[in-house]
């Protein structure tokens, strides 16, 4: 099962992905987490992406595609993958198709967490106060939302046309969102 958790930043993708890791043993592939880890390690890659991330802009497609490819290689026998925060552009989506195809896999399901932007801004302001992530500061977050609407939202009709898209109310409480995701996974044949 190859599942994309789709939605704007702070829609709850990471929270839901972690639940699926616990309940189903899927592997979570969060490019945001990978980039934050690279930055924390002080690696050359981390230094290269640090400023871009703090601004709330997107790092290059090549960087994130390579990170995903490496992780798919490292976890060849996983029962499923959850793509969280990837793909974020049309060319990342095309690259994902290619790298899955070369492993005899495909995108099975795209779950879009549908959320209200004003409520998201409130959620992120709270997260900024609690966790202090620089890119959660309200001005930067608005930039991240704009990037999502300009670069990432165009993927919605692409997956809808393929019959892969399932929309879930991301404003519901965490357990309700999890139950809706579970139902969508079962309907798509996931275990
Ligand atoms: P996230 O935690 O997914 O919101 O990611 C945090 C930051 O990492 C983003 O604002 C981008 O700067 C960068 N990033 C994460 N995933 C991607 C991606 N798929 N493409 C480009 N940049 C990304």
């Amino acid at each position: 099962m190859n599942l994309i958790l789709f939605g704007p930043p702070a829609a709850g993708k990471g929270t839901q992905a972690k639940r699926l890791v616990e309940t189903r043993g899927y592997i979570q592939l969060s490019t945001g987490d990978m980039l934050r880890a690279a930055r924390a390690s002080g690696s050359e890659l981390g230094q290269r992406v640090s400023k871009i991330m703090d601004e709330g802009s997107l790092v290059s497609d090549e960087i994130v595609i390579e990170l995903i490819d490496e992780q798919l290689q490292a976890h060849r026998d996983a029962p499923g993958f959850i793509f969280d925060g990837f793909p974020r552009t049309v060319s990342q989506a095309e690259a994902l198709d290619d790298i899955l195809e070369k492993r005899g896999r495909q995108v099975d399901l795209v779950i879009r967490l549908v959320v209200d932007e004003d409520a998201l801004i409130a959620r992120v302001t709270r997260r900024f106060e609690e966790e202090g992530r620089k890119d959660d500061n309200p001005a930067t977050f608005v930039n991240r939302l704009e990037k999502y609407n300009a670069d990432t939202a165009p993927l919605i009709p692409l997956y809808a046309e393929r019959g892969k898209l399932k929309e879930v109310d991301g404003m519901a409480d965490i357990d309700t969102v999890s139950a809706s995701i579970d139902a969508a996974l079962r309907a798509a044949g996931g275990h």
Side-chain angles (χ1 to χ4, degrees):
M1 172 59 62
N2 298 297
L3 162 72
I4 298 175
L5 276 181
F6 196 89
K13 303 185 297 289
T15 303
Q16 294 299 331
K18 287 186 175 63
R19 289 208 162 187
L20 292 169
V21 169
E22 280 168 24
T23 56
R24 292 172 179 263
Y26 292 174
I27 300 281
Q28 176 190 9
L29 298 183
S30 159
T31 40
D33 284 352
M34 292 175 209
L35 292 167
R36 276 185 287 279
R39 201 161 61 159
S41 76
S43 67
E44 190 265 330
L45 169 67
Q47 289 171 28
R48 215 155 16 114
V49 297
S50 186
K51 186 162 168 284
I52 300 170
M53 290 175 73
D54 284 346
E55 287 167 2
S57 299
L58 295 183
V59 311
S60 76
D61 289 337
E62 291 70 26
I63 289 176
V64 285
I65 290 164
E66 190 170 338
L67 288 172
I68 290 285
D69 199 23
E70 278 169 17
Q71 290 300 310
L72 288 175
Q73 196 58 27
H75 300 281
R76 261 168 300 183
D77 300 326
F81 290 99
I82 310 153
F83 298 92
D84 161 9
F86 179 92
R88 257 176 157 98
T89 63
V90 172
S91 71
Q92 290 179 23
E94 287 167 354
L96 178 60
D97 285 339
D98 290 346
I99 57 184
L100 286 174
E101 193 185 333
K102 84 182 181 208
R103 295 179 167 89
R105 289 173 169 262
Q106 60 166 354
V107 173
D108 298 303
L109 180 63
V110 179
I111 293 183
R112 176 186 175 203
L113 299 179
V114 181
V115 288
D116 174 82
E117 289 199 359
D118 289 337
L120 269 194
I121 293 171
R123 194 183 271 184
V124 168
T125 304
R126 218 167 38 236
R127 187 164 80 179
F128 180 59
E129 284 159 6
E130 284 165 11
E131 296 175 24
R133 251 174 73 174
K134 253 191 195 166
D135 59 350
D136 277 345
N137 109 29
T140 310
F141 184 70
V142 168
N143 190 26
R144 291 166 69 200
L145 266 184
E146 279 168 7
K147 290 275 176 296
Y148 169 81
N149 286 319
D151 299 331
T152 310
L155 297 179
I156 296 168
L158 297 185
Y159 288 117
E161 271 163 30
R162 290 200 216 164
K164 300 291 183 192
L165 186 71
K166 171 79 188 149
E167 298 197 334
V168 162
D169 175 12
M171 300 314 295
D173 62 78
I174 291 176
D175 288 340
T176 306
V177 176
S178 296
S180 304
I181 292 175
D182 257 338
L185 277 168
R186 275 197 305 277
H191 299 287

